[in-house]
Amino acid sequence: MAEKVWGRGQGVKIACIDSGINPWHPHINSLAGGIGFTVKSDGRILATENYHDELGHGTAVAGVIMEQVPEAKLWSVKIFHQTLSTYMEVLCTAIEWCIEERMDLVNLSLGIRRDAPELKLLCEQAAEEGVLIVTACDEQNNLVWPGYYDSVFGVRAGQHCSSDVFFYHPEQKPSFHAFGLPRELAGPMQKFNFQGHSFAAAHVTGYLAKLKEHFNITSKEEMERVLHEVCMSEVSP
């Protein structure tokens, strides 16, 4: 999936639902915009203009996407604030926003431990609307939803992968094994950097953005067909 062959994600709209994004980080080229969602004391979900990252996770994830597709239109959708956890209602509201805003791809470097009907319906709605959801799948900690839904692309970190190499198994859950490391940090700080399934999902989001740009893909079914051709039939671009 080298950039010189497949493209740079030009014009592809990607939403990163996470802890926000720091637009001044050197790994972030630019942001198209953003939004934040939080829960008020009375239980209502509030949309805010605060989409900046205070935890670092979302920025690291976004850095991977930007490395893969530097010309994509990246949106920050902040749902994590003091910790990397939130309410199901907040996650669902964020996905609804992505559907309404006609995002091409949604990166979910997160997972939950239960099969939630409301989340499943939203993922199905997104697929019907042509919004492709890519989500991390941490089986060791049972954080497998929504990665096990047929309507999304589930990803886990795998061996023998690199930033340009992934494995696609359409009959398995999750269907992708990808590189689980973020972009490198300078000096000794690298050993303290995040790593894992979150970044595998981000790499796959970048891969799919390249394919969407190259083949003008408009649905999950088309993406699956192209993936089969590219991965199984060794069709050159």
Short mmCIF file of all heavy atoms in Angstrom, two decimals, residues 5 36 44 48 68 88 109 112 134 180 207 210 234:
data_model
loop_
_atom_site.label_atom_id
_atom_site.label_comp_id
_atom_site.label_asym_id
_atom_site.label_seq_id
_atom_site.Cartn_x
_atom_site.Cartn_y
_atom_site.Cartn_z
N VAL A 5 2.04 4.40 -5.05
CA VAL A 5 1.22 3.57 -5.92
C VAL A 5 -0.26 3.92 -5.77
O VAL A 5 -0.98 4.05 -6.75
CB VAL A 5 1.44 2.07 -5.60
CG1 VAL A 5 0.50 1.21 -6.44
CG2 VAL A 5 2.89 1.69 -5.85
N GLY A 36 -16.80 18.35 19.76
CA GLY A 36 -16.68 17.55 20.96
C GLY A 36 -18.04 17.22 21.53
O GLY A 36 -18.99 17.99 21.38
N ARG A 44 -27.80 15.33 29.88
CA ARG A 44 -27.89 15.69 28.47
C ARG A 44 -26.51 15.66 27.82
O ARG A 44 -25.51 15.96 28.46
CB ARG A 44 -28.50 17.07 28.31
CG ARG A 44 -29.98 17.16 28.66
CD ARG A 44 -30.49 18.57 28.39
NE ARG A 44 -29.79 19.57 29.22
CZ ARG A 44 -29.72 20.85 28.93
NH1 ARG A 44 -30.28 21.33 27.82
NH2 ARG A 44 -29.07 21.69 29.74
N THR A 48 -19.82 20.63 21.74
CA THR A 48 -18.97 21.78 22.01
C THR A 48 -17.96 21.97 20.88
O THR A 48 -17.76 21.07 20.04
CB THR A 48 -18.20 21.62 23.33
OG1 THR A 48 -17.12 20.71 23.15
CG2 THR A 48 -19.12 21.11 24.42
N GLN A 68 -0.35 8.07 6.47
CA GLN A 68 -0.83 7.25 5.37
C GLN A 68 -1.44 8.10 4.26
O GLN A 68 -1.19 7.86 3.07
CB GLN A 68 -1.88 6.24 5.88
CG GLN A 68 -1.33 5.14 6.75
CD GLN A 68 -0.60 4.08 5.96
OE1 GLN A 68 -0.67 4.05 4.74
NE2 GLN A 68 0.10 3.20 6.66
N MET A 88 -21.93 5.06 26.40
CA MET A 88 -22.38 4.53 25.12
C MET A 88 -23.16 5.59 24.33
O MET A 88 -23.01 5.71 23.11
CB MET A 88 -23.26 3.29 25.33
CG MET A 88 -23.87 2.72 24.06
SD MET A 88 -22.63 2.04 22.95
CE MET A 88 -22.12 0.64 23.92
N SER A 109 -10.66 3.93 17.22
CA SER A 109 -9.58 3.21 17.89
C SER A 109 -9.99 2.93 19.32
O SER A 109 -9.39 3.41 20.30
CB SER A 109 -8.29 4.03 17.82
OG SER A 109 -7.75 4.00 16.51
N ILE A 112 -15.73 -1.92 22.98
CA ILE A 112 -16.55 -2.12 24.18
C ILE A 112 -16.74 -3.62 24.39
O ILE A 112 -16.50 -4.43 23.50
CB ILE A 112 -17.91 -1.40 24.07
CG1 ILE A 112 -18.73 -1.99 22.92
CG2 ILE A 112 -17.72 0.09 23.89
CD1 ILE A 112 -20.14 -1.43 22.86
N VAL A 134 -14.09 1.88 10.61
CA VAL A 134 -12.95 1.02 10.93
C VAL A 134 -12.74 1.08 12.43
O VAL A 134 -12.63 2.16 13.00
CB VAL A 134 -11.67 1.49 10.20
CG1 VAL A 134 -10.50 0.58 10.54
CG2 VAL A 134 -11.90 1.55 8.70
N GLY A 180 0.75 -2.38 14.47
CA GLY A 180 0.24 -1.85 15.73
C GLY A 180 1.07 -0.76 16.36
O GLY A 180 0.93 -0.51 17.56
N TYR A 207 -5.26 2.89 4.76
CA TYR A 207 -5.27 2.00 3.59
C TYR A 207 -6.58 2.16 2.81
O TYR A 207 -6.58 2.28 1.58
CB TYR A 207 -5.14 0.53 4.01
CG TYR A 207 -3.90 0.17 4.78
CD1 TYR A 207 -3.94 -0.88 5.69
CD2 TYR A 207 -2.70 0.84 4.61
CE1 TYR A 207 -2.81 -1.25 6.42
CE2 TYR A 207 -1.58 0.48 5.33
CZ TYR A 207 -1.64 -0.56 6.23
OH TYR A 207 -0.53 -0.93 6.95
N LYS A 210 -6.92 5.30 0.82
CA LYS A 210 -6.19 5.22 -0.45
C LYS A 210 -7.00 4.48 -1.51
O LYS A 210 -7.10 4.92 -2.66
CB LYS A 210 -4.84 4.52 -0.24
CG LYS A 210 -3.86 5.28 0.61
CD LYS A 210 -2.57 4.48 0.80
CE LYS A 210 -1.59 5.22 1.68
NZ LYS A 210 -0.32 4.51 1.84
N GLU A 234 -4.08 -10.20 -6.70
CA GLU A 234 -2.87 -9.47 -7.04
C GLU A 234 -3.06 -8.57 -8.25
O GLU A 234 -2.26 -8.50 -9.16
CB GLU A 234 -1.71 -10.44 -7.30
CG GLU A 234 -1.35 -11.28 -6.09
CD GLU A 234 -0.19 -12.19 -6.37
OE1 GLU A 234 0.29 -12.22 -7.51
OE2 GLU A 234 0.25 -12.88 -5.44
#
